[in-house]
Amino acid sequence: MVLILIAQFFGDERKRSNERTYDISTRYEIPQNVNHLVQVAYNDCHTNKTSHPWYANVQPVG
């Protein structure tokens, strides 16, 4: 039980930067309707702007 409590303070560091060096929209012209789909379906998992649920910060689940 003590190890789980201690593990709360050593979770992984998730990137929260706005780095867009390798963003597809910086390289290609994307139509507005497709860009909306990319933002909704792709960016949450494949960018530094992932929104994790609250329990992702609770160890050992996180």
Side-chain angles (χ1 to χ4, degrees):
M1 184 65 159
V2 174
L3 290 177
I4 292 175
L5 183 63
I6 292 172
Q8 301 304 312
F9 300 104
F10 296 101
D12 63 335
E13 292 294 324
R14 293 182 171 87
K15 295 180 180 179
R16 301 284 186 209
S17 70
N18 289 325
E19 177 72 33
R20 296 187 64 197
T21 304
Y22 301 107
D23 194 319
I24 192 170
S25 64
T26 60
R27 186 155 190 170
Y28 301 104
E29 182 77 28
I30 301 175
Q32 188 63 26
N33 60 343
V34 175
N35 192 29
H36 174 71
L37 289 174
V38 167
Q39 289 177 356
V40 172
Y42 177 81
N43 283 350
D44 188 40
C45 294
H46 300 283
T47 64
N48 293 340
K49 297 180 180 180
T50 302
S51 59
H52 299 281
W54 66 270
Y55 54 83
N57 294 321
V58 178
Q59 301 304 325
V61 176

